[in-house]
Amino acid sequence: MVNGRFAGGDDVSNLPTHMRAIEIAEFGGPEVLTLCERAVPMAGGGEVLIAVAAAGVNRPDIVQRMGLYPPPPGASDIPGLEVSGSIVAVGAGVDAGLIGRRVAALVTGGGYAQYCTADARHCLSMPDAMDFEAAAALPETLFTVWHNVFERGYARDGETLLVHGGTSGIGSMAIKLGKLFGLTVIATCGSDDKCAAAKALGADHAINYKSQVFEDTARALTNGKGVEIILDMVGGSYLPRNMKALADDGRCVTIAVQGGLKAEISVAQLMSRRLTLTGSTLRPRSAEFKALLTQEIAAYAWPLVEDGRLAAALDRAFPLAEAAAAHGYMESGDHVGKIVLTV
């Protein structure tokens, strides 16, 4: 819509009324993802309507499918937190000149569909040479890593970052972004092959957590000092182990709890070593927060995308109708980097 109307004035024939989408028929395994027909959403005030070309697949989509991560109020129940495509309509208060622009966008849901609305402030213009699959693989991981490593983790040049799950979408982005901003990066992985893949992505060191005690190895790699920052996707029992791996004044940022919701730690160690334990989730944050985060990324990280120095590690693309297979592939743990759906 342009000031309450669709692009093209009152003639809405240029846009369909219905679209293909993936819905969660019931909570459960990948097989509950079902191709369906839904009404094309309308762009509200401050929003744009994107004709989706590709959508990223992320771990929160799996948790939502299992019934453990409900969409925030007002968000679409269709999974998908990042898309790329072309803006085909705008809502009230949005410049109609954006129509036709190719964008990558962070969304609160609705990405697994032919059309998706997004807050206009959460969109980043795609470089001319970038394809849609590569663009769809960027927003969720880039926003998450930037906020948690550089804003919450206060990363500084010359420090060492320990990344758990180094070949995941988040992990691969943390390796790439960390190296571009002068960090030494240590990744943990579940096999020697994954360790080799993490090094190929740019990690300075990789630790096989199945055959090595990661906290001891991290300290050995830093000459006993420990690492300044940890990006943790495990939580639970990893928290006290992360504290052992940290240098004095170190910061551990937890962004997922695949290893459990609870941990027992030494408060005395927390105090005497001046450690910081923090964490965040991105999806429930306010639109205003995400708009500010988009502005910061546009200023400091997106230029690296535009000049080709930063790109997502893209593992595999699946057609939209094969979303269940994409989820199964992610849950197998065989992927290195991002998985996307092509629409």
Side-chain angles (χ1 to χ4, degrees):
M1 292 170 19
V2 181
N3 294 327
R5 297 177 299 169
F6 281 98
D10 293 322
D11 179 10
V12 299
S13 62
N14 58 326
L15 288 174
T17 59
H18 289 79
M19 64 179 184
R20 290 184 302 139
I22 296 293
E23 66 181 5
I24 301 171
E26 58 182 320
F27 298 134
E31 70 280 356
V32 305
L33 296 176
T34 305
L35 189 65
C36 67
E37 185 177 273
R38 290 282 189 99
V40 172
M42 296 180 67
E47 293 183 331
V48 297
L49 179 66
I50 298 170
V52 178
V57 177
N58 294 283
R59 184 69 56 176
D61 304 342
I62 290 174
V63 183
Q64 177 180 336
R65 189 204 72 216
M66 296 170 67
L68 303 174
Y69 192 39
S76 172
D77 66 314
I78 296 170
L81 302 177
E82 58 185 347
V83 299
S84 65
S86 300
I87 295 174
V88 293
V90 299
V94 180
D95 181 6
L98 292 177
I99 293 173
R101 180 169 297 183
R102 302 187 331 140
V103 295
L106 185 74
V107 296
T108 55
Y112 291 15
Q114 289 180 298
Y115 292 88
C116 180
T117 57
D119 190 310
R121 300 170 298 172
H122 305 164
C123 296
L124 293 159
S125 295
M126 289 173 52
D128 292 339
M130 177 173 281
D131 64 50
F132 286 116
E133 291 179 12
L138 280 169
E140 175 71 11
T141 55
L142 181 54
F143 279 61
T144 298
V145 172
W146 184 267
H147 174 55
N148 289 288
V149 172
F150 295 96
E151 293 184 341
R152 303 195 71 81
Y154 301 104
R156 294 184 289 272
D157 291 1
E159 292 189 323
T160 299
L161 166 68
L162 174 64
V163 179
H164 289 307
T167 56
S168 66
I170 293 288
S172 57
M173 176 57 68
I175 290 171
K176 287 170 169 275
L177 206 56
K179 293 306 299 177
L180 285 167
F181 281 88
L183 303 179
T184 296
V185 181
I186 303 172
T188 67
C189 307
S191 71
D192 290 342
D193 287 345
K194 287 291 187 75
C195 285
K199 288 183 178 179
L201 289 168
D204 296 280
H205 308 282
I207 301 170
N208 184 339
Y209 62 80
K210 292 183 178 179
S211 61
Q212 298 171 280
V213 179
F214 78 79
E215 59 269 39
D216 293 343
T217 306
R219 281 202 162 271
L221 289 170
T222 55
N223 297 316
K225 178 184 177 183
V227 302
E228 284 82 9
I229 314 150
I230 297 176
L231 183 62
D232 174 37
M233 292 164 266
V234 182
S237 62
Y238 261 38
L239 196 54
R241 299 179 65 186
N242 285 335
M243 290 172 63
K244 291 180 181 178
L246 284 173
D248 290 351
D249 296 298
R251 293 87 68 194
C252 177
V253 188
T254 299
I255 60 171
V257 288
Q258 296 177 38
L261 295 172
K262 296 182 179 180
E264 184 173 326
I265 65 169
S266 167
V267 178
Q269 183 184 158
L270 185 75
M271 296 164 57
S272 64
R273 299 181 55 215
R274 302 172 304 281
L275 303 179
T276 298
L277 305 179
T278 184
S280 74
T281 54
L282 181 59
R283 190 181 191 184
R285 298 297 295 270
S286 70
E288 289 71 22
F289 167 81
K290 293 175 186 175
L292 292 172
L293 185 55
T294 306
Q295 290 176 18
E296 187 165 333
I297 287 170
Y300 297 105
W302 204 247
L304 301 172
V305 174
E306 293 173 328
D307 67 17
R309 284 184 286 167
L310 177 63
L314 185 59
D315 182 287
R316 186 172 170 185
F318 291 80
L320 177 67
E322 297 179 17
H327 275 221
Y329 182 53
M330 174 170 276
E331 289 181 276
S332 76
D334 292 335
H335 63 292
V336 174
K338 291 285 295 192
I339 301 166
V340 300
L341 301 175
T342 55
V343 181

